[in-house]
Amino acid sequence: MKRIVVLISGRGTNLLSLAQSIAEDRWRAQIVGVISDGPDAPGLRYAKQYVLETEVVDFRTFAVRADFDRALAAAIDRREPDFVVLAGFMRVLGREFVDHYAGRLLNIHPSLLPAFPGLHTHRRALEAGVAVHGATVHLVGHEVDSGPIIAQAALAVGAGDDETRLASRVLALEHRLYPMALRWFVEDRVRVEDGRVVLVEPREGDARCLWGG
Ligand code: GRF
């Protein structure tokens, strides 16, 4: 059984989609901890629903980011995870932290990286007038929203898309994308060569790009 720790800050719908997939599709994996950076993250309720162990490492109690990173790493490492999954985790993590989890720290970002790293991605995509938008699952690199791309989900931006509608269309894709990408890791089918992700032993139905309606 592979061991997964999920880090959240907010709503937690990606945590929910991962917990659902793991349970329903009987992955050889378990979520061994859900760690939130604050006590009020609504997503903690999904952890309860799936009877997952939770811990809060409250960033507001640390004056220095490096101290928060160290406390967070200690909480993670106590659970001896194979993979650490950022699911709407809103803190920027330092170099030491990122290096400690190299190759096993995943993030989901609501844009087609490298376009639109950072916040307010849907608004910025609409302002830029892009015809295609989406989400990316990637290994975490040193810069914000950087690192080898594992898989992406894309959709055509429609005339009726305002920020709210576009966000919910992308989120629906995220809920398919993250379980798909994480499962490749659980099955030990991902290699990184020259900074690029290669899927080994490809199977029918594998797609590093999902298309949404
Ligand atoms: C998602 O859009 C994810 O891509 C981004 O933060 C949001 C988290 O949503 N990193 P949720 O908390 O999983 O509902």
Side-chain angles (χ1 to χ4, degrees), residues 8-17 43 46 86-90 107-111 121-122 135-136 145 167 170-171 174-175 178:
I8 64 168
S9 298
R11 200 170 47 176
T13 64
N14 277 289
L15 163 66
L16 177 63
S17 77
Y46 296 128
L86 309 181
F89 186 72
M90 298 307 285
N107 183 41
I108 188 159
H109 180 74
S111 79
T121 54
H122 308 305
T136 304
D145 301 321
V170 171
L171 189 64
E174 290 185 38
H175 296 156
Y178 218 174

Side-chain angles (χ1 to χ4, degrees), residues 2-173:
K2 290 285 185 351
R3 300 170 65 81
I4 298 166
V5 166
V6 182
L7 307 189
I8 64 168
S9 298
R11 200 170 47 176
T13 64
N14 277 289
L15 163 66
L16 177 63
S17 77
L18 291 169
Q20 270 168 349
S21 287
I22 290 169
E24 285 166 17
D25 301 334
R26 296 166 184 270
W27 295 22
R28 295 179 58 76
Q30 55 180 332
I31 296 176
V32 293
V34 175
I35 302 176
S36 163
D37 64 357
D40 306 321
L44 287 169
R45 72 172 181 272
Y46 296 128
K48 286 210 181 70
Q49 187 181 325
Y50 277 82
V51 203
L52 305 172
E53 199 199 312
T54 61
E55 182 165 343
V56 175
V57 181
D58 191 345
F59 74 97
R60 288 167 299 193
T61 61
F62 297 88
V64 181
R65 191 183 75 185
D67 291 342
F68 170 73
D69 283 8
R70 267 191 287 275
L72 182 61
I76 295 169
D77 290 346
R78 271 199 294 280
R79 296 171 165 89
E80 300 183 343
D82 297 286
F83 305 110
V84 180
V85 173
L86 309 181
F89 186 72
M90 298 307 285
R91 308 264 78 76
V92 174
L93 296 161
R95 177 171 282 269
E96 210 179 306
F97 183 99
V98 168
D99 288 344
H100 181 61
Y101 299 104
R104 56 192 179 114
L105 180 61
L106 282 71
N107 183 41
I108 188 159
H109 180 74
S111 79
L112 292 173
L113 290 172
F116 310 120
L119 298 173
H120 310 302
T121 54
H122 308 305
R123 187 191 311 163
R124 287 158 60 209
L126 288 169
E127 280 166 5
V130 296
V132 180
H133 184 48
T136 304
V137 174
H138 63 99
L139 283 161
V140 175
H142 290 129
E143 307 305 321
V144 171
D145 301 321
S146 74
I149 289 169
I150 302 157
Q152 295 186 300
L155 49 71
V157 179
D161 278 319
D162 58 12
E163 191 180 348
T164 310
R165 183 164 189 270
L166 191 55
S168 81
R169 291 179 67 211
V170 171
L171 189 64
L173 278 180

